């Protein structure tokens, strides 16, 4: 079937079997290999992308269902100010080791920061439960998220471009 | 981990959807249960009919004394408070603990109820409500009381030619009490035991015990359970003769805790 997607802002026409899932479409046809595939049944979160404005499992969206959708992958967030803060904090807090879970983790982390600005550690851990990491033990990831949440809550940090420096002490 | 080949159709109105169903298509809404089954080849339909673009599929319509929730309403919208009133607050609390946000953004109330996983959250909670599932078939609309919609493990009262169109719940009068408890070893996984109790003023309280290896147990008059949660929960669960003592203990605790919260 023919399908139309808007991927990272660009209108894209593709040809695929209806059974092909979005993660494979992104990786194999568009060479956007930042989206990783772990379990292919919705559990691990490695394949999480933004679909029509909200995080979704790209392994569970087959080509037919995503015809007409707007997709944002990790590659499409290089200029995103929240993502920039998260990347810096992930690096500072050792929130990744092999990096396999990281793109999905960052997609989820960005959603937490934007949707739940008041989240505390318990809530962050609860919200992260759908992204599995085999390396880090999660502590660094949780700390990185809490640092970004705190930096955005600080008075005068209304400017999302404000540097993260100083909030990771 | 790739699905077997299938065709895809996207009906634009309900009669086209019913026609696709009659021709053997498997309906899908959020794809959050069917998707894994396709990938694992536990389901190998020839054609998939995507219901998401049907008119009114995700519409929430508040009427005078009830709210009609389109089958295509996602868990995330319910979590975010799209259903009004106390009934909405109860549903929001339940929705927040279904799976993970990325799954809740796509998965639907109607898909979950139609799928009827014995441990699913809507399967535990909705049978407690004096409301209806609205089924649409070739002969028109049929109203199925929520207490008898789920008929078994992955089995519901829908006929093969019918779709679930909406769920209708009463607006809850002041003084309604609700209790719910479920056990998961990890947030977001399917529960190992779950129960809820809904007590409307002036009518018999209803209780549901789910996540069993059978259809949810619906207790139409749970007054005795509310009066003596510990003893009644033990008596009810003993009657189920569950094989595994761990599951039996969890079921007992779930029912007791839900009753204590609603008492
Ligand atoms: C990782 C993961 C964890 C999960 N954890 C939980 C959990 O903790 N608790 C929980 O309750 N659920 C959980 N789920 C399931 C989730 O809630 C699904 O959203 C839900 O079970 C199915 O809804 P859906 O809209 O995605 O339906 P689909 O997957 O599209 O369809 C499911 C089934 O229902 C049928 N169907 C769908 N819509 C209709 C309709 N309107 N009329 C008739 N038939 C229909 C389909 O043919 C199919 O058989 C989890 C899912 C995943 C992937
Ligand atoms: S690959 Fe999609 S959730 Fe694991
Ligand atoms: S960093 Fe290796 S899986 Fe998370």
């Amino acid at each position: 079937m023919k399908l139309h997607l808007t991927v990272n802002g660009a209108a894209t026409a593709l040809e695929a079997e209806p059974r092909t899932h979005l993660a494979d479409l992104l990786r194999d046809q568009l060479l956007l290999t930042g989206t990783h595939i772990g379990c292919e049944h919705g559990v691990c979160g490695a394949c999480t992308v933004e679909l029509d404005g909200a995080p979704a499992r790209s392994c569970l969206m087959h080509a037919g269902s995503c015809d007409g959708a707007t997709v944002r992958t990790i590659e499409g967030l290089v200029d995103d100010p929240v993502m920039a803060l998260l990347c810096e904090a992930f690096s500072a807090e050792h929130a990744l080791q092999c990096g396999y879970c990281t793109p999905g983790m960052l997609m989820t982390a960005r959603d937490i920061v934007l949707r739940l600005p008041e989240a505390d550690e318990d809530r962050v851990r609860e919200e992260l439960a759908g992204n599995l990491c085999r390396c880090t033990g999660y502590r660094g990831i949780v700390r990185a998220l809490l640092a970004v949440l705190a930096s955005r809550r600080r008075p005068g940090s209304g400017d999302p471009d404000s540097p993260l420096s100083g909030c990771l002490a | 981990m790739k699905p077997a080949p299938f065709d895809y159709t996207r009906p634009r109105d309900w009669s086209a959807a019913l026609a696709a169903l009659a021709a053997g298509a498997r309906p899908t809404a959020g794809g959050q249960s069917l998707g894994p089954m396709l990938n694992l080849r536990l389901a190998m339909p020839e054609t998939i009919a995507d219901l998401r673009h049907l008119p009114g599929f995700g519409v929430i319509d508040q009427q005078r004394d009830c709210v009609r929730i389109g089958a295509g309403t996602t868990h995330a919208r319910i979590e975010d408070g799209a259903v009004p009133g106390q009934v909405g607050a109860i549903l929001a609390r339940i929705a927040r603990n279904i799976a993970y946000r990325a799954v809740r953004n796509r998965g639907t109330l109607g898909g979950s109820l139609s799928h009827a996983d014995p441990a699913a959250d809507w399967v535990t909670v909705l049978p407690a409500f004096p409301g209806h599932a609205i089924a649409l078939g070739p002969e028109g609309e049929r109203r199925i009381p929520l207490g008898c919609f789920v008929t078994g493990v992955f089995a519901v009262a829908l006929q093969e030619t019918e779709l679930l169109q909406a769920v209708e719940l009463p607006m809850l009068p002041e003084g309604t009490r609700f209790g719910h408890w479920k056990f998961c070893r990890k947030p977001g996984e399917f529960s190992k035991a779950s129960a809820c109790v809904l007590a409307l003023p002036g009518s018999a309280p209803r209780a549901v015990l789910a996540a069993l290896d059978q259809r949810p147990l619906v207790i139409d008059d749970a007054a005795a359970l509310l009066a003596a949660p510990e003893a009644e929960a033990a008596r009810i669960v003993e009657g189920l003769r569950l094989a595994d003592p761990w599951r039996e203990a969890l079921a007992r605790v779930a029912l007791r805790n839900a009753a204590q919260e609603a008492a």
Side-chain angles (χ1 to χ4, degrees):
Chain A
M1 65 180 287
K2 281 195 168 38
L3 71 148
H4 297 271
L5 292 176
T6 304
V7 181
N8 298 333
T12 315
L14 296 169
E15 179 76 44
E17 281 188 87
R19 65 166 168 160
T20 310
H21 61 58
L22 177 60
D24 277 342
L25 279 176
L26 293 168
R27 291 176 54 84
D28 297 348
Q29 292 214 27
L30 301 175
L31 305 180
L32 294 169
T33 53
T35 298
H36 292 173
I37 297 174
C39 66
E40 290 185 306
H41 59 275
V43 174
C44 75
C47 69
T48 306
V49 299
E50 194 185 278
L51 186 64
D52 294 329
R57 304 296 206 220
S58 58
C59 69
L60 299 184
M61 295 305 299
H62 296 94
S65 306
C66 46
D67 184 19
T70 299
V71 183
R72 209 135 55 125
T73 68
I74 193 77
E75 291 90 344
L77 288 163
V78 279
D79 295 327
D80 179 76
V82 174
M83 195 53 94
L85 290 176
L86 283 165
C87 288
E88 200 179 320
F90 265 54
S91 165
E93 295 292 348
H94 303 286
L96 67 154
Q97 186 178 326
C98 78
Y100 201 86
C101 68
T102 310
M105 207 55 96
L106 285 168
M107 297 306 281
T108 300
R110 182 171 176 274
D111 178 56
I112 295 171
V113 170
L114 294 174
R115 186 168 54 84
L116 302 167
E118 302 302 327
D120 61 7
E121 173 166 353
D122 283 350
R123 186 70 194 264
V124 164
R125 286 187 174 273
E126 182 191 323
E127 294 287 329
L128 280 177
N131 288 75
L132 302 184
C133 175
R134 305 286 279 184
C135 300
T136 64
Y138 303 101
R139 292 186 57 185
I141 299 170
V142 172
R143 274 201 305 262
L145 251 154
L146 290 172
V148 172
L149 284 163
S151 78
R152 285 168 55 89
R153 278 198 291 263
R154 202 162 293 143
S157 68
D159 171 14
D161 290 321
S162 71
L164 183 67
S165 47
C167 73
L168 295 172
Chain B
M1 298 294 282
K2 308 294 176 192
F6 56 78
D7 288 331
Y8 173 84
T9 71
R10 189 179 278 191
R12 297 291 173 168
D13 59 53
W14 288 88
S15 59
L18 291 176
L21 206 62
R26 179 83 179 257
T28 189
Q32 301 302 292
S33 291
L34 189 58
M37 290 165 69
L38 291 170
N39 288 356
L40 295 164
R41 300 202 181 193
L42 294 171
M44 292 194 277
E46 264 172 40
T47 305
I48 284 181
D50 187 346
L51 308 179
R52 277 185 314 126
H53 302 265
L54 291 173
F57 191 51
V59 167
I60 297 167
D61 182 17
Q62 185 179 0
Q63 291 152 4
R64 213 162 48 86
D65 44 15
C66 71
V67 57
R68 188 180 158 114
I69 307 170
T73 304
T74 61
H75 311 321
R77 280 187 60 218
I78 296 172
E79 175 184 13
D80 292 347
V83 180
Q86 190 192 354
V87 60
I90 289 173
L91 299 190
R93 164 180 161 191
I94 300 303
R96 175 174 154 188
N97 291 305
I98 299 175
Y100 317 110
R101 183 72 182 187
V103 172
R104 298 198 287 274
N105 281 330
R106 311 298 299 183
T108 67
L109 181 82
S112 176
L113 202 56
S114 307
H115 186 59
D117 187 303
D121 293 285
W122 298 128
V123 168
T124 310
V125 171
L126 292 180
F129 282 82
H132 291 87
I134 315 291
L136 184 74
E139 271 88 59
E141 212 177 272
R142 191 161 71 92
R143 297 165 64 80
I144 306 164
L146 284 169
C148 37
F149 184 78
V150 176
T151 55
V153 174
F154 299 109
V156 294
L158 288 177
Q159 267 141 36
E160 275 182 15
T161 51
E162 286 179 324
L163 290 168
L164 180 61
Q165 200 174 28
V167 166
E168 214 175 78
L169 300 178
M171 296 310 284
L172 299 174
E174 211 165 305
T176 298
R177 284 163 299 135
F178 177 76
H180 173 260
W181 194 83
K182 74 169 175 175
F183 177 78
C184 304
R185 284 172 306 181
K186 162 183 183 296
E189 70 163 13
F190 279 100
S191 59
K192 301 289 174 283
S194 67
C196 82
V197 176
L198 182 72
L200 272 67
S203 33
R206 296 228 297 194
V208 184
L209 176 64
L212 305 165
D213 296 327
Q214 58 176 63
R215 67 172 291 233
L217 177 73
V218 181
I219 303 159
D220 283 321
D221 184 348
L225 177 67
L226 285 190
E230 185 89 52
E232 261 304 281
R235 192 190 65 78
I236 292 165
V237 171
E238 200 184 316
L240 293 171
R241 308 203 173 285
L242 301 177
D244 179 348
W246 182 68
R247 297 293 287 269
E248 187 185 337
L250 284 176
R252 204 166 53 229
V253 170
L255 200 54
R256 180 199 68 196
N257 288 1
Q260 280 173 344
E261 188 194 340

